[in-house]
Amino acid sequence: ALRKPKIGMLLILFFLITFGYANIYATFPLISVREFGFSDKQVGYLFGFIGIIGAGTQGGLIRVLSSRYEERRLFLVGAALTSIGLALIPYSGSTFPLLIVLAVLSVGTGIMTPSSLSLISRHADERQQGGILGINQALGALARVLGPIWGAMVFQHIGIPWPFLTGGIVLFVVVILIRCTLWEKSTCVGNSP
């Protein structure tokens, strides 16, 4: 699967987006308590807020957007919003800005994830579609293990903002890779799409 150019790149991109986002699983509760002074109950509410926004995006907004825009554009915009949201978490300062950043993050992941899965499904050969999606899920599971390990390690050894910054950087790399690989004429060398 990884040898097929488009499918291989889409699988790598899905791994990277899952890894970059999974940084927050271990570290978001830590930064919420240390930097914002939230209780465990309030952290739970914040995760609930993230979930509700994400579910609303995937349950309704994505249907409207996908009828108007190509999947690759939605994938690009979703990755960009997720990158911005991740990188801004440690710099939110107080509850209201944090809620705005989390909303941006949730909308981004709510747009990005179904768009990436749809692209993988569409580019896979019909006879191999189940296997490709299975490989994708395995890569996602690996990323969900490695992401929190990376996040906790950089949180402890480099500093509080670094899990979020490195997650944002990974998603920014994904934005560049999407733009370079999913358009017929690569815009990385100055050509228009």
Side-chain angles (χ1 to χ4, degrees):
L2 292 174
R3 289 187 191 138
K4 298 178 179 181
K6 276 239 167 106
I7 287 293
M9 181 52 72
L10 287 167
L11 292 173
I12 290 167
L13 291 174
F14 188 81
F15 173 83
L16 290 174
I17 64 175
T18 307
F19 173 82
Y21 183 75
N23 275 314
I24 75 166
Y25 295 154
T27 53
F28 183 70
L30 296 173
I31 196 172
S32 296
V33 171
R34 286 190 191 179
E35 296 298 302
F36 298 107
F38 294 135
S39 67
D40 291 342
K41 185 177 183 180
Q42 290 170 319
V43 172
Y45 289 146
L46 290 173
F47 272 120
F49 177 76
I50 291 169
I52 288 168
I53 299 288
T57 303
Q58 289 186 19
L61 181 61
I62 193 68
R63 185 177 302 137
V64 174
L65 292 174
S66 62
S67 68
R68 295 180 183 183
Y69 303 103
E70 293 176 291
E71 291 160 335
R72 64 183 179 170
R73 291 194 188 280
L74 294 175
F75 190 20
L76 181 75
V77 169
L81 290 174
T82 305
S83 175
I84 292 165
L86 280 170
L88 290 179
I89 286 173
Y91 305 106
S92 300
S94 62
T95 304
F96 184 69
L98 178 63
L99 290 174
I100 292 171
V101 167
L102 293 178
V104 168
L105 176 70
S106 300
V107 169
T109 57
I111 292 170
M112 175 181 62
T113 304
S115 300
S116 67
L117 292 172
S118 178
L119 283 166
I120 290 168
S121 177
R122 195 161 49 84
H123 286 287
D125 184 278
E126 257 184 52
R127 294 165 297 165
Q128 298 177 329
Q129 204 170 47
I132 297 290
L133 291 173
I135 291 168
N136 189 60
Q137 289 305 312
L139 288 171
L142 178 62
R144 281 186 285 279
V145 170
L146 296 177
I149 292 170
W150 170 259
M153 187 177 71
V154 296
F155 187 93
Q156 183 176 6
H157 296 292
I158 300 176
I160 291 171
W162 286 99
F164 309 98
L165 292 174
T166 56
I169 290 166
V170 168
L171 267 293
F172 182 72
V173 169
V174 167
V175 168
I176 293 168
L177 291 173
I178 291 168
R179 197 69 172 130
C180 289
T181 59
L182 295 182
W183 269 257
E184 296 298 318
K185 296 177 183 175
S186 175
T187 55
C188 294
V189 291
N191 297 328
S192 57

